[in-house]
Amino acid sequence: MMQWSAFDDPVHDAQRHFRCVLGAMAEPGTLHLCDGPPPPPGAAIGSALWATLLSLCDLDTRVWVAPCLAGQGLCEALAFHTGARFTQVPDQAHFAVVTPDVLMDSALVFGEGCEAYPDRSTTLVVALERLDDDGNWQLSGPGIAKHRRLDVGEAIPLMSRLTTNRSRFPRGLDAVLTCGERLAAIPRSTRIVSVPIREAGACMSQ
């Protein structure tokens, strides 16, 4: 197994990144730069995603990791550093580590909670190849004054899944989006529409 580094100060660094994730959820679509520990060279995820897993997972957490992201000893490292457990059943996971392409599989079902317990749902933690603002996806709703634009590249399967949240609210999926050191979030309360694209920059994942 390749060496995966963790936070220098496990408690305070994890709390700091957790606050970053909460801030991203409170203001959907805002970009946050994370200075978490870097994954090993060649890993399929970036430092923002790795820091998110380190800060959100613990002994009571069930995680589903898409096979395309499970290389380089990711699961073993996450279990070692956090004690998280892994499930082969996506809808039983608290967190699902995915790429947009994985979500093309319509048979892949995640937990969306229920009317009585909408919090019993899966949070998607997504590895993107692009994450920037001023893209062709327009967000509105709680935490957004008017609207906010987001550029997630060719991630149509992801945005299609998140768009359906509005018809199922308060059930649905929350998502933490990552690309390299960048992080944003889209909670289930966010309304998403596709609009004409404007010029946007790129962030290539590690």
Side-chain angles (χ1 to χ4, degrees):
M1 183 181 74
M2 296 191 68
Q3 182 65 40
W4 288 70
S5 57
F7 291 124
D8 292 333
D9 186 331
V11 174
H12 292 95
D13 289 348
Q15 290 175 341
R16 175 171 49 80
H17 188 80
F18 181 69
R19 288 193 295 270
C20 176
V21 175
L22 288 182
M25 282 288 183
E27 297 183 281
T30 55
L31 298 181
H32 300 257
L33 192 62
C34 306
D35 59 352
I45 67 172
S47 57
L49 197 154
W50 177 232
T52 297
L53 294 177
L54 290 174
S55 62
L56 296 182
C57 296
D58 57 28
L59 293 169
D60 297 320
T61 303
R62 292 189 301 274
V63 182
W64 183 83
V65 179
C68 62
L69 296 176
Q72 304 282 6
L74 170 61
C75 296
E76 294 85 349
L78 185 60
F80 175 78
H81 287 297
T82 71
R85 296 171 290 154
F86 296 89
T87 178
Q88 299 299 315
V89 185
D91 65 1
Q92 293 182 3
H94 297 108
F95 301 102
V97 186
V98 300
T99 66
D101 288 347
V102 169
L103 301 176
M104 294 177 63
D105 183 358
S106 59
L108 194 61
V109 177
F110 300 100
E112 297 186 354
C114 60
E115 295 294 329
Y117 300 100
D119 58 315
R120 295 179 180 176
S121 61
T122 303
T123 296
L124 303 179
V125 186
V126 189
L128 294 171
E129 295 184 354
R130 186 181 185 100
L131 179 60
D132 214 319
D133 52 17
D134 208 23
N136 65 315
W137 294 101
Q138 182 171 287
L139 314 181
S140 61
I144 305 173
K146 294 181 63 177
H147 60 262
R148 187 171 289 131
R149 287 198 179 197
L150 197 62
D151 181 359
V152 294
E154 303 297 323
I156 294 175
L158 165 69
M159 303 308 281
S160 296
R161 287 232 183 182
L162 297 181
T163 298
T164 64
N165 278 333
R166 292 301 301 174
S167 64
R168 301 170 182 173
F169 191 82
R171 299 184 300 119
L173 300 171
D174 300 318
V176 178
L177 314 181
T178 69
C179 174
E181 296 178 344
R182 289 187 175 190
L183 178 148
I186 302 179
R188 71 190 71 183
S189 58
T190 302
R191 294 183 290 274
I192 305 171
V193 296
S194 179
V195 296
I197 193 167
R198 294 190 299 217
E199 195 173 317
C203 169
M204 298 306 295
S205 65
Q206 297 180 4

